[in-house]
Amino acid sequence: MPPRVAVLISGRGSNMSALIAASRFEQYPATISLVISNRLEAPGVALAQEAGVKSAVIVGRSFPDRLSYDKALDETLRSANISIICLAGFMRILTPWFVGRWLGKIINIHPSILPAYKGLNTHERALQDCVRIHGCSTHFVTPELDAGPIIMQAAVAVAPDDTIETLAARVLEREHAIYPLSLSLVASGAAMLKEGKCVIRGAKPREGSLIAPAF
Ligand code: GRF
């Protein structure tokens, strides 16, 4: 049986949908079994329901502190026999206790080429800095925010007339490509967290480079 995966969201859920769509392919090595949102009104919850994936909402204000929230989250995940967690726009900081329990089994997608632009407003900051190349990363989650070992990255060239929205849209398209690929690597055991690094069996360096701008 392929590992059962939970996707944790707070909003739109487009990465969640990309993971669900990928997992529908017969050969995909993981099943998206549960979606958990910390916000009742997250549009992704309705999308999960439409896709026929079980969903749960665990709202932060029902708990006195972060640890009790994370214990309830952990309980929900374990009672659903989840073995891998994908964070996909989950806007809560997880406690070191929770991250420690799921270390090597919890991954995240971030809209920048890490370690650049950790945190929020990544596209806006990239445009302000006039970078020529921007992108997205998937990584194993560790207690430090957006700092865990990187699994996969995709780059996009920044166009001179890009706005936050146009750049975000191109990066998002790449997110939808690398997140399902990254999850398949982790679920199949090809990618793993080892001594603080992500080791990927069979990975070959890609030749050539993305040079931006082009003339
Ligand atoms: C994505 O840009 C993701 O990289 C970031 O939050 C956003 C979530 O978007 N962590 P969506 O809910 O998956 O559409």
Side-chain angles (χ1 to χ4, degrees), residues 2-208:
R4 291 166 60 80
V5 175
V7 185
L8 272 50
I9 62 166
S10 299
R12 183 173 59 181
S14 71
N15 278 289
M16 172 207 76
S17 294
L19 292 170
I20 293 173
S23 77
R24 296 268 147 93
F25 286 93
E26 210 186 318
Q27 301 303 318
Y28 197 77
T31 307
I32 309 299
S33 307
L34 180 63
V35 168
I36 300 180
S37 170
N38 66 325
R39 288 178 56 229
L40 192 57
E41 64 282 14
V45 175
L47 290 179
Q49 284 162 357
E50 277 165 34
V53 176
K54 205 175 154 219
S55 60
V57 178
I58 310 178
V59 176
R61 61 177 174 275
S62 331
F63 297 87
D65 51 34
R66 285 195 181 281
L67 188 58
S68 45
Y69 182 96
D70 284 4
K71 288 198 163 159
L73 185 61
D74 184 68
E75 182 53 41
T76 305
L77 294 161
R78 289 187 193 273
S79 53
N81 286 316
I82 297 300
S83 49
I84 298 175
I85 303 170
C86 290
L87 304 181
F90 187 61
M91 302 302 282
R92 273 186 74 89
I93 294 176
L94 294 161
T95 55
W97 173 82
F98 185 91
V99 174
R101 261 173 97 77
W102 289 90
L103 198 67
K105 300 286 170 202
I106 175 167
I107 62 177
N108 182 40
I109 180 116
H110 183 75
S112 76
I113 300 190
L114 290 169
Y117 308 119
K118 293 173 181 171
L120 298 173
N121 306 319
T122 57
H123 309 306
E124 187 180 348
R125 285 151 62 207
L127 286 175
Q128 269 163 8
D129 287 345
C130 301
V131 298
R132 300 292 189 187
I133 295 173
H134 184 48
C136 51
S137 310
T138 54
H139 64 92
F140 283 105
V141 174
T142 55
E144 197 188 330
L145 193 70
D146 301 329
I150 293 164
I151 303 167
M152 201 171 254
Q153 297 184 305
V156 304
V158 179
D161 57 352
D162 258 331
T163 62
I164 297 172
E165 290 72 29
T166 58
L167 183 57
R170 283 206 312 292
V171 172
L172 192 64
E173 197 191 296
R174 296 296 85 209
E175 292 184 36
H176 297 164
I178 68 165
Y179 212 1
L181 278 171
S182 303
L183 173 59
S184 76
L185 291 174
V186 173
S188 66
M192 66 187 102
L193 187 61
K194 218 173 180 179
E195 290 158 12
K197 291 204 166 87
C198 173
V199 180
I200 306 182
R201 194 189 335 116
K204 297 187 193 80
R206 186 176 282 280
E207 292 193 8

